[in-house]
Amino acid sequence: MAKHEIIPCERCSTPIECKANAYTKCQCSVIHLDLNEVQYISELYDGCLCAKCLFELQQEYRADVTS
């Protein structure tokens, strides 16, 4: 079985295990983003983000939308 790549989160540099070939098993899949949230985050970052950063960016987006 091939190991997944360990990469830094693009936002906070925390090492994360990228499982792009097994997305449903990847740590980032625990954050459920709607289409607008995905677009917002993709405008800011190109690479992989850890679940903590995805959650924080989701909350940032939601706060901006409601203000």
Side-chain angles (χ1 to χ4, degrees):
M1 174 185 267
K3 289 188 176 183
H4 298 283
E5 184 178 8
I6 303 296
I7 60 171
C9 169
E10 187 177 331
R11 183 170 179 246
C12 72
S13 299
T14 297
I16 55 176
E17 186 176 14
C18 180
K19 296 183 179 178
N21 293 333
Y23 172 75
T24 58
K25 296 177 184 173
C26 192
Q27 54 84 36
C28 66
S29 69
V30 299
I31 306 299
H32 300 283
L33 303 170
D34 68 25
L35 185 58
N36 291 327
E37 294 164 346
V38 170
Q39 183 175 357
Y40 171 75
I41 293 169
S42 69
E43 289 173 0
L44 300 172
Y45 299 96
D46 293 323
C48 290
L49 300 170
C50 69
K52 178 181 177 281
C53 285
L54 286 172
F55 178 75
E56 290 172 355
L57 289 165
Q58 180 184 54
Q59 297 308 305
E60 180 181 297
Y61 173 79
R62 290 178 178 182
D64 287 347
V65 169
T66 58
S67 60

